[in-house]
């Protein structure tokens, strides 16, 4: 993760002083010139910095961040210990185009595109609530085919796809992926497919790789993560899969920008995959057990939120579910002419006054669109049962207070 420099270093990086010895302040100011690329303006804001601090200060229960508070599986930790104690000493050594982004999106996509010199082009998943009064599903958030097609042009170089999607938990269907694939092939566009939640799919849904569709292997880069696959988010081990003609450029960037990898953790992850390969499809496989456990946790949180009046959107995958906070808006009055999205103020009020941390959905939208989706917040259900029960207790107490007031 790139961290912002401190004030003195940042000043040094962003300004080029004329030369030492100038006594005139006005001359020095005139000769100083900012060198920050304009494409990076506005990307220094980070929802995680703000809400991590709030959660650490006020929350009793943190369902905001997407990290499990239960341990990684024993076999993976044992593999790490073997890697640490093994005799292989090499494990300790070094080892302006348009890009379409589907909204809502994990917030790092936009600044990454800008830092690479690209121009983000946004296309939203639009909610279509069921008419039978049932709870909405992440499958009810869909792309408009005509709107998506309109975003492709001769200047489009890539599209970023995240399935299963964070924050919605949407698992894109074969039909939806086929629509994207046809447009990619037609316009000769690359697909950057973020599939870090590929094993966390519920209710019998199937994760389909867009690279498996006709014409897509040669134009797709698949991104995976051991953090989500093995519930070890702090290890920061990931991978990319794709044709060599694309990966050769990624290797060039990697070898010239990353000089330290968690080599021992990589070895442990490799052993974890070897184990799972032998157990693939069997009941004792971690890839079979984990989604079953998380689906139960999801259902528990869905029931808890629905029971107090928040309307959860049932996710098909990932760690997360989004809930409609409209029934609770009376607790946090709107502020006329405020630049801050309502869900952001609601989430801050909730963690400070109720001790429950969540993330506003507007944080996963572009600046131009974030005010269109301000009645939702995102919860993480990849937590211990005790954590989820504590969250449920807070919600039940909150409901009782609303009823009695």
């Amino acid at each position: 993760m790139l961290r912002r420099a401190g004030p003195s270093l940042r000043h040094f990086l962003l300004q080029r002083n004329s030369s030492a010895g100038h006594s005139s302040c006005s001359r020095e100011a005139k000769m100083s010139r900012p060198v920050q690329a304009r494409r990076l303006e506005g990307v220094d804001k980070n929802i995680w910095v703000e809400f991590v601090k709030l959660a650490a200060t006020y929350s009793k229960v943190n369902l905001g961040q997407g990290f499990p508070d239960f341990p990684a599986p024993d076999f993976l930790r044992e593999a790490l210990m073997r890697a640490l104690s093994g005799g292989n000493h090499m494990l300790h050594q070094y080892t302006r185009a348009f890009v379409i982004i589907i909204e809502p999106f994990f917030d790092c996509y936009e600044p990454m595109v800008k830092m690479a010199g690209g121009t983000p082009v946004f296309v939203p998943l639009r909610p279509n609530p069921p008419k039978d009064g049932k709870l909405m599903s992440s499958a009810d958030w869909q792309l408009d085919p005509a709107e998506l097609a309109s975003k492709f042009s001769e200047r489009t170089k890539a599209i970023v796809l995240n399935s299963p999607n964070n924050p919605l938990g949407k698992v894109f269907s074969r039909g939806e992926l086929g629509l994207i694939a046809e447009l990619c092939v037609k316009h000769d566009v690359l697909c950057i497919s973020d599939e870090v939640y590929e094993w966390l799919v519920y209710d019998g849904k199937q994760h389909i790789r867009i690279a498996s569709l006709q014409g897509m292997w040669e134009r797709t880069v698949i991104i995976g993560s051991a953090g989500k696959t093995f519930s070890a988010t702090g290890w920061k081990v990931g991978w990319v899969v794709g044709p060599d003609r694309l990966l050769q450029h990624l290797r060039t960037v990697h070898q010239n920008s990353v000089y330290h990898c968690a080599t021992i953790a990589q070895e442990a992850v490799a052993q974890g995959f070897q184990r799972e390969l032998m157990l693939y499809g069997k009941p004792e496989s971690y890839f079979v057990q984990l989604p079953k456990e998380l689906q139960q946790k999801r259902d528990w949180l869905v029931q808890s939120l629905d029971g107090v009046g928040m309307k959860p959107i049932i996710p098909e995958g990932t760690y997360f579910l989004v809930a409609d906070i409209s029934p609770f808006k009376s607790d946090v009055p709107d502020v006329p002419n405020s630049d801050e999205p309502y869900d952001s103020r609601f989430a801050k009020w909730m963690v400070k006054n109720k001790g429950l941390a969540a993330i506003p959905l507007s944080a996963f939208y572009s600046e131009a669109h974030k005010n269109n989706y301000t009645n939702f917040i995102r919860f993480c259900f990849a937590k211990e049962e005790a954590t989820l029960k504590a969250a449920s207790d807070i919600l039940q107490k909150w409901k009782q207070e609303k009823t009695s007031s």
Side-chain angles (χ1 to χ4, degrees):
M1 179 185 293
L2 296 175
R3 299 186 182 277
R4 288 191 294 170
S8 59
L9 178 58
R10 188 181 184 197
H11 178 81
F12 174 79
L13 291 172
L14 299 185
Q15 294 200 1
R16 183 172 65 189
N17 293 328
S18 52
S19 62
H22 285 292
S23 58
S24 168
C25 293
S26 60
R27 178 174 175 80
E28 183 177 348
K30 183 178 180 180
M31 295 296 291
S32 259
R33 184 164 62 91
V35 295
Q36 180 180 3
R38 288 186 177 180
R39 67 176 181 271
L40 302 184
E41 291 177 357
V43 304
D44 57 340
K45 296 179 181 179
N46 189 296
I47 189 70
W48 308 107
V49 173
E50 182 176 15
F51 275 85
V52 166
K53 184 177 180 180
L54 283 171
T57 305
Y58 297 102
S59 72
K60 299 175 183 176
V61 180
N62 186 355
L63 300 188
Q65 291 171 270
F67 62 87
D69 61 356
F70 49 83
D74 290 342
F75 69 83
L76 196 72
R77 288 182 288 164
E78 291 165 2
L80 182 65
M81 294 304 296
R82 287 195 298 272
L84 281 167
S85 59
N88 187 354
H89 66 279
M90 291 306 294
L91 291 176
H92 299 274
Q93 310 308 321
Y94 287 131
T95 57
R96 176 88 51 187
F98 288 172
V99 178
I100 297 171
I101 299 176
I102 299 172
E103 295 182 298
F105 58 89
F106 190 58
D107 65 313
C108 67
Y109 295 166
E110 181 179 2
M112 284 179 172
V113 168
K114 289 182 177 179
M115 291 178 74
T119 299
V121 176
F122 302 99
V123 58
L125 291 163
R126 298 190 180 278
N128 297 294
K131 297 179 181 180
D132 55 9
K134 292 182 179 179
L135 291 176
M136 190 182 297
S137 161
S138 58
D140 294 320
W141 291 62
Q142 300 171 353
L143 290 166
D144 179 275
E147 184 177 21
L148 176 64
S150 72
K151 302 298 181 180
F152 283 78
S153 72
E154 61 182 12
R155 296 184 64 184
T156 305
K157 300 300 181 184
I159 183 171
V160 180
L161 172 68
N162 178 207
S163 181
N165 169 272
N166 174 14
L168 277 178
K170 178 181 174 64
V171 177
F172 282 73
S173 68
R174 184 176 293 276
E176 290 172 315
L177 295 175
L179 171 66
I180 296 170
E182 288 177 8
L183 290 167
C184 286
V185 172
K186 178 181 178 180
H187 295 275
D188 192 21
V189 167
L190 296 176
C191 180
I192 302 168
S193 185
D194 182 348
E195 303 180 21
V196 299
Y197 294 99
E198 60 182 302
W199 297 103
L200 304 180
V201 179
Y202 315 124
D203 301 319
K205 298 291 183 179
Q206 182 185 9
H207 168 66
I208 300 170
R209 296 193 190 279
I210 194 170
S212 68
L213 303 187
Q214 186 174 1
M216 289 305 293
W217 165 254
E218 59 266 31
R219 64 180 68 255
T220 303
V221 173
I222 302 167
I223 300 171
S225 167
K228 306 305 187 296
T229 298
F230 290 114
S231 307
T233 57
W235 287 19
K236 297 300 179 186
V237 175
W239 54 84
V240 293
V241 179
D244 184 66
R245 72 178 187 86
L246 297 180
L247 295 191
Q248 64 177 332
H249 303 299
L250 294 182
R251 289 194 294 267
T252 299
V253 172
H254 188 272
Q255 71 189 22
N256 287 288
S257 59
V258 179
Y259 289 91
H260 172 74
C261 296
T263 313
I264 293 173
Q266 290 175 333
E267 170 67 15
V269 169
Q271 291 184 30
F273 272 119
Q274 287 178 335
R275 174 191 185 273
E276 287 303 298
L277 185 60
M278 292 186 293
L279 297 175
Y280 184 74
K282 297 180 180 180
E284 58 268 37
S285 166
Y286 189 69
F287 294 168
V288 173
Q289 293 176 353
L290 182 60
K292 286 184 177 180
E293 294 175 7
L294 287 178
Q295 182 171 326
Q296 291 177 347
K297 295 175 186 292
R298 179 205 67 174
D299 292 345
W300 189 3
L301 186 57
V302 165
Q303 184 177 4
S304 178
L305 291 168
D306 186 40
V308 299
M310 285 191 190
K311 296 303 180 185
I313 298 167
I314 303 175
E316 303 160 280
T318 75
Y319 285 165
F320 308 106
L321 70 79
V322 170
D324 186 343
I325 58 174
S326 297
F328 283 71
K329 290 185 71 171
S330 60
D331 290 338
V332 187
D334 207 348
V335 177
N337 303 318
S338 173
D339 292 332
E340 184 176 22
Y342 178 81
D343 58 347
S344 178
R345 286 188 288 108
F346 183 96
K348 291 177 183 178
W349 178 91
M350 186 173 71
V351 70
K352 291 178 180 178
N353 293 275
K354 302 299 179 182
L356 180 59
I359 299 296
L361 186 65
S362 62
F364 301 93
Y365 282 87
S366 63
E367 194 66 32
H369 300 154
K370 62 173 60 228
N371 282 312
N372 297 335
Y373 299 89
T374 60
N375 290 336
F376 303 94
I377 55 177
R378 190 201 74 171
F379 294 95
C380 174
F381 54 85
K383 304 294 180 182
E384 292 277 10
E385 289 185 8
T387 307
L388 295 175
K389 184 180 183 305
S392 179
D393 291 344
I394 290 174
L395 291 167
Q396 288 293 339
K397 182 180 178 182
W398 190 356
K399 178 186 177 183
Q400 292 170 5
E401 291 171 351
K402 287 175 66 67
T403 303
S404 61
S405 62

